[in-house]
Structures are given as C-alpha cells and as structure tokens.
Amino acid sequence: MSSPTVPTRVVLLAGPSGSGKSSLAARTGLPVLRLDDFYKEGDDPTLPLVAGSSDVDWDSVRSWDADAAVAAVEELCRTGRTTVPVYSIATSSRVDTEALDIQRTPLFLAEGIFAADIVARCQELGVLADALCLRGRPSTTFRRRLVRDLREGRKSVAFLLRRGWRLMRAERAIVGRQTALGAHPCAKKEALGRIAAAAAGRCAKPRTARTANTARTESSSPSAPSPAATSHT
C-alpha cells in the first residue's frame, strides 16, 4: 500500500545492457543501488536457458531476484539503509554483502537492466519518483557493451559475441518492452534533466505500467527477444 510520508524516493534507471546506465548514474552524484547485484547464482536450478542453447539466459528477468531488489528499494526509502549482495558476473555468484547507507538523502537511483520490471511495484509502494529507459543506437550499445565486458573478463569471448549479437538485433524490442512496463524512453541529456527535476522535488508522472505478466507474454512471441531482454548487466 502506498504511503505519502515515505522520506525518500527512487528513480529507476533501466535500458539495454551497455546503454550507459552506470556512467550516467555516477554523473548525478546521487546514491546508487546496483540492481544487477540481485542476479541469481549460477547454480540456481530456476535459471532460464537461451532457446536452442546451453547458455544461461542472463537477459531474462527469471535470472534475477526481483523480490529481493524491491525489498532493498523499499528499505532504503523508509529507513535510509539496507544490506545488499555483492555479485561477481565473472563467476555468476554472490561473493559478499555490504551495507548501503544513504542517510537522509531524499532521492536515490536504482539502476539495472531489469529496473523497469519493478516500476509497478514501486508505484504501489508509493516510493517511485520517476522511471527512465536509456536508449541510443544499437550499434553503439553493442560496441560499448563488448569493450566493457571484454575489459572486465565477464564471460568467455564466444559467449559475449553470441550474446552481443542477439542483444543488438533485439534492442528496439527491449526498449519497447521496458517502455511498456512504465519506463520513459530517453537519451542521456533528457534523463539527467528528469533526475535533476526529481531531486528538486518535481517528480514526473510515471508512465502507466503494464503488468509484468503481460509484457513477458508479449516479449516471448516469436518476433520478440527473450523475457525481460536486456543483459548480464
């Protein structure tokens, strides 16, 4: 149930993998909750596979613990602190936990490829200030993602190339799905302006979010990417 007295609100920052969410979040100077740290671990039996492959589909929302992510967002909004996992993408495992304390900050960012999937739940809790989906050229996103993933040794080169090609072809559908879930599609300049407005207390009216089940059904059609398509960050 929503509450008008919640002291802190969140801007959810979504977008395809490699769209620049982390770098934009850092530019704002606001506290940041890394939603990609809520991935399931590599030995979780519920992890989905890419159709026709033995690869884990890290671009499916079913590879992510949405309940834990929402709980962390709500706790930060109501108390200013929470405990979050530290996730290693290279090993597909949670290697530690850490305390996140935003003190009395009235606004923070929660960024990650599945951020749009919790728009409706954050609206219901009364903690949502805005929800954004970064978008750009698929070819630019592909190059940025591949350079980052190779530099950080996130997965094997073959896996990264297969995944990168699949995501580039699906990028417009990815943005469309996240928009349908309630995230406003925009480039970085507009995103920074909306975040500044939210920090000043001028919260944008969030887009009407469809249910996750509806969007998931649409994204599972033959012409669309896998559920919640985005990426292993």
Side-chain angles (χ1 to χ4, degrees):
M1 183 178 296
S2 64
S3 169
T5 60
V6 61
T8 297
R9 285 182 167 78
V10 64
V11 173
L12 296 175
L13 183 59
S17 173
S19 58
K21 298 179 295 298
S22 297
S23 60
L24 185 140
R27 286 175 61 184
T28 68
L30 293 169
V32 178
L33 174 65
R34 299 186 305 270
L35 294 177
D36 291 335
D37 280 335
F38 292 89
Y39 266 111
K40 296 176 182 178
E41 297 196 82
D43 59 356
D44 191 310
T46 67
L47 284 172
L49 299 179
V50 175
S53 168
S54 60
D55 290 343
V56 172
D57 189 356
W58 296 110
D59 305 306
S60 167
V61 72
R62 291 181 292 137
S63 69
W64 187 66
D65 190 344
D67 291 340
V70 171
V73 168
E74 184 179 17
E75 189 171 22
L76 280 174
C77 288
R78 301 197 183 281
T79 71
R81 60 181 64 86
T82 192
T83 299
V84 296
V86 177
Y87 192 91
S88 167
I89 291 176
T91 62
S92 302
S93 62
R94 297 182 180 184
V95 296
D96 203 352
T97 60
E98 65 181 10
L100 178 59
D101 189 341
I102 64 172
Q103 300 179 355
R104 297 182 181 276
T105 306
L107 187 76
F108 71 96
L109 300 182
E111 65 91 3
I113 64 172
F114 302 125
D117 283 86
I118 61 174
V119 169
R121 293 174 67 175
C122 288
Q123 283 178 322
E124 292 169 1
L125 291 168
V127 300
L128 185 66
D130 204 352
L132 309 173
C133 172
L134 289 186
R135 63 179 178 183
R137 290 179 179 274
S139 58
T140 300
T141 306
F142 172 86
R143 290 193 300 270
R144 183 187 296 122
R145 177 176 55 238
L146 184 60
V147 168
R148 177 203 63 193
D149 291 352
L150 289 172
R151 182 182 66 244
E152 297 180 6
R154 293 188 170 194
K155 299 293 179 186
S156 71
V157 174
F159 179 94
L160 294 176
L161 288 172
R162 289 195 301 271
R163 174 175 154 273
W165 176 246
R166 184 174 69 248
L167 291 178
M168 184 174 71
R169 289 182 298 165
E171 183 159 327
R172 287 187 172 84
I174 291 169
V175 171
R177 181 183 182 278
Q178 295 185 4
T179 300
L181 286 168
H184 173 74
C186 57
K188 291 182 180 180
K189 183 177 180 180
E190 183 182 357
L192 287 169
R194 288 177 68 111
I195 293 168
R202 302 190 303 274
C203 294
K205 182 179 180 180
R207 299 171 60 88
T208 300
R210 300 189 200 175
T211 65
N213 286 338
T214 299
R216 188 175 299 123
T217 297
E218 292 176 353
S219 68
S220 297
S221 66
S223 60
S226 61
T230 7
S231 114
H232 206 22
T233 199

